[in-house]
């Protein structure tokens, strides 16, 4: 195969504007229903938001970290610390985003903190230019096919009912959470109700290599993939498992960077990558990983962190990029929140696609009265 030229990210030549004001706002929004996974059950979305003001323009960004370290080691607390004490001091008006990325590179890890600033800056730059974020990223508008992530339920019947609702909405694929004790029979219940559904399972690292025989039972159900079956910190064991499974392995928690993706590909640890822009350090890194996956014949898709309308919009714009070959976890706002802090909410069209919010930047409007209603902390940094 002929090597393609490296991915072009022209927006990295854009200039960091002088910021007049920076606020960190923490919001807490109730979920319409608890979201259960093998690692934790969340009942609220607590998110750290950043608000940037420059030359009369305002742009928001959302940190995808949770307040707890149960899915990922970064938390809203660590992100606040890294943003305030290490990343914002590196922001110098007039430098390029490429230079900023180099400076951020000195701070090891902490991708969710880095992504928060990068997202807000790109949103701000796009707003100042009057263009949508996807256009700033160099990508044409597209119809984004939507997938849904369904949390653990009390009974298989409750799970099947949730899947029925998702199918009625015409989601392009359904992801169901699994864990030890809620797996084979639960997948079987969904599969027997929906023989042709594009279905996948996410274990959030609940299994070990001792469970290979057990996981092989899932091969009977024609799943699109099994997401992160083994430890959040492993790549090599997944390569052993993938050789023993017909079902494609998808890595989520294990992939923090293009280098991790290279390692996983080299070891044959997965055939699919879940790219969460926050987990990998921002939109530029997410686009590099998606392109890498495409170059190596892997599928990739945008994961979600049950974001508010701000982060949800970022994920929608990202999915216009090359390499996002499968439907992402960008479900309707109503799947999580009765009322969101941004407008319009994400609503599927009759064919299960999400529209790109129209307008400059993210295209969504952050509603000040909703921010006031849901804010549990506000810190003015400048
Ligand atoms: O493992 O993909 C995951 C939500 C929070 C933390 C981890 C995960 C998830 C989801 C939901 O699966 C994705 C979404 O709907 O935003
Ligand atoms: Mg996952």
């Amino acid at each position: 195969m002929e090597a393609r030229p490296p991915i072009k990210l022209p927006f990295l030549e854009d200039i960091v504007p002088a910021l007049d004001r920076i606020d960190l706002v923490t919001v807490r929004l109730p979920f319409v229903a608890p979201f259960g996974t093998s690692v934790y059950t969340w009942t609220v979305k607590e998110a750290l938001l950043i608000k940037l003001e420059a030359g009369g323009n305002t742009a928001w960004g959302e940190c995808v970290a949770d307040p707890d370290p149960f899915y990922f080691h970064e938390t809203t607390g660590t992100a606040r610390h890294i943003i305030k004490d290490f990343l914002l001091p590196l922001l110098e008006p007039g430098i390029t985003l490429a230079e900023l990325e180099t400076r951020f590179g000195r701070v090891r890890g902490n991708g969710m903190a880095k992504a928060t600033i990068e997202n807000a800056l790109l949103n701000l730059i796009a707003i100042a230019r009057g263009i949508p974020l996807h256009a700033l990223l160099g990508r044409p508008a597209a119809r984004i096919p939507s997938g849904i992530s369904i949390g653990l339920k009390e009974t298989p019947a409750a799970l099947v009912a949730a899947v029925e609702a998702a199918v009625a909405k015409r989601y392009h694929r359904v992801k169901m959470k699994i864990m030890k004790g809620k797996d084979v029979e639960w997948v079987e219940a969904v599969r027997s109700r929906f023989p042709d559904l594009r279905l996948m399972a996410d274990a959030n690292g609940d299994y070990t290599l001792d469970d290979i025989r057990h996981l092989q039972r899932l091969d009977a159900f024609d799943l699109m993939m099994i997401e992160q079956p083994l430890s959040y910190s492993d790549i090599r064991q997944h390569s052993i498992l993938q050789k023993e499974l017909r079902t494609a392995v998808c890595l989520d928690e294990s992939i923090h960077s293009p280098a991790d993706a290279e390692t996983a590909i080299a070891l044959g640890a997965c055939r699919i990558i879940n790219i969460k822009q926050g987990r990998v350090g921002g939109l530029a890194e997410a686009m590099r990983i998606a392109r890498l996956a495409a170059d190596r014949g892997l599928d990739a898709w945008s994961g979600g962190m049950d974001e508010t309308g701000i982060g949800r919009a970022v994920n929608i714009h990202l999915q216009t990029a090359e390499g996002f070959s499968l439907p992402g976890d960008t479900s309707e706002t109503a799947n999580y929140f009765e009322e969101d802090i941004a407008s319009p909410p994400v609503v599927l069209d009759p064919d299960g696609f999400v529209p790109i919010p129209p307008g400059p930047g993210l295209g969504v409007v952050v509603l000040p009265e909703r921010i006031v209603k849901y804010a549990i902390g506000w810190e003015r940094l400048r």
Side-chain angles (χ1 to χ4, degrees), residues 249-251 261 264-266 268-273 289-301 323-326:
V249 170
C250 169
L251 289 180
I265 294 167
C270 63
R271 295 190 204 129
I272 302 174
I273 300 177
I289 294 173
R291 169 62 185 270
L292 175 69
D295 283 349
R296 304 297 186 82
L298 277 76
D299 282 305
W301 51 279
F324 287 87
S325 54
L326 294 172

Side-chain angles (χ1 to χ4, degrees), residues 35 42 66 71 149 175 177 202 204 227 252-253 274 276 304-307 312 329 331 336:
F35 185 70
W42 287 273
D66 288 310
Y71 161 77
S149 176
K175 161 164 137 184
K177 293 289 187 179
D202 186 359
N204 288 106
E227 182 175 339
D252 171 357
E253 283 93 322
N274 168 336
K276 294 181 181 169
M305 289 292 289
D306 33 54
E307 290 92 341
R312 207 166 285 272
D329 276 343
S331 63
Y336 286 104

Side-chain angles (χ1 to χ4, degrees), residues 11-18 87-104 121 125:
F11 59 89
L12 291 179
E13 296 316 309
D14 273 272
I15 300 297
V16 173
L87 298 177
L88 285 179
L90 300 173
L91 232 65
E92 191 186 320
I95 66 169
T96 62
L97 291 176
E99 166 62 16
L100 184 66
E101 198 180 37
T102 303
R103 292 183 182 191
F104 277 11
L121 278 176
I125 292 167

Side-chain angles (χ1 to χ4, degrees), residues 70-110:
F70 303 137
Y71 161 77
F72 199 68
H73 57 265
E74 288 184 82
T75 69
T76 44
T78 69
R80 175 190 299 278
H81 163 54
I82 296 294
I83 288 170
K84 274 171 62 179
D85 298 337
F86 292 99
L87 298 177
L88 285 179
L90 300 173
L91 232 65
E92 191 186 320
I95 66 169
T96 62
L97 291 176
E99 166 62 16
L100 184 66
E101 198 180 37
T102 303
R103 292 183 182 191
F104 277 11
R106 266 192 78 205
V107 174
R108 294 184 175 182
N110 292 286

Side-chain angles (χ1 to χ4, degrees), residues 96-301:
T96 62
L97 291 176
E99 166 62 16
L100 184 66
E101 198 180 37
T102 303
R103 292 183 182 191
F104 277 11
R106 266 192 78 205
V107 174
R108 294 184 175 182
N110 292 286
M112 291 179 176
K114 291 172 184 171
T116 309
I117 298 177
E118 188 198 65
N119 288 341
L121 278 176
L122 288 172
N123 187 17
L124 181 64
I125 292 167
I127 289 170
R129 286 227 220 129
I131 60 172
L133 179 62
H134 68 81
L136 182 66
L137 299 180
R139 301 298 302 173
R143 293 175 87 203
I144 310 298
S146 184
I148 189 171
S149 176
I150 296 179
L152 295 171
K153 301 290 180 210
E154 284 301 316
T155 61
L159 171 63
V160 169
V163 175
E164 280 170 353
V167 169
K169 286 264 180 198
R170 301 194 178 261
Y171 279 102
H172 285 243
R173 64 102 175 108
V174 170
K175 161 164 137 184
M176 56 179 282
K177 293 289 187 179
I178 57 170
M179 63 183 286
K180 282 182 178 163
K182 286 193 171 189
D183 47 30
V184 178
E185 290 72 21
W186 299 63
V187 172
E188 188 172 26
V190 175
R191 182 48 91 208
S192 57
R193 173 72 179 81
F194 293 105
D196 301 320
L197 179 65
R198 307 232 302 161
L199 179 67
M200 57 172 291
D202 186 359
N204 288 106
D206 206 38
Y207 300 89
T208 71
L209 284 180
D210 291 339
D211 301 310
I212 289 184
R213 291 281 164 270
H214 185 70
L215 291 170
Q216 281 173 334
R217 294 178 61 197
L218 294 174
D219 276 341
F221 304 110
D222 194 26
L223 298 178
M224 293 172 77
M225 69 195 89
I226 178 166
E227 182 175 339
Q228 199 71 34
L230 309 179
S231 173
Y232 72 94
S233 62
D234 168 78
I235 295 178
R236 187 190 68 95
Q237 293 179 16
H238 281 95
S239 76
I240 296 170
L241 177 67
Q242 179 65 93
K243 288 172 186 63
E244 301 291 332
L245 287 185
R246 259 203 327 269
T247 307
V249 170
C250 169
L251 289 180
D252 171 357
E253 283 93 322
S254 297
I255 306 297
H256 303 177
S257 63
D260 287 341
E262 289 273 15
T263 302
I265 294 167
L267 293 181
C270 63
R271 295 190 204 129
I272 302 174
I273 300 177
N274 168 336
I275 299 174
K276 294 181 181 169
Q277 46 79 19
R279 197 192 67 236
V280 302
L283 290 165
E285 289 286 72
M287 291 174 77
R288 291 184 184 110
I289 294 173
R291 169 62 185 270
L292 175 69
D295 283 349
R296 304 297 186 82
L298 277 76
D299 282 305
W301 51 279

Side-chain angles (χ1 to χ4, degrees), residues 355-366:
I356 297 178
L362 293 176
V364 292
V365 177
V366 176

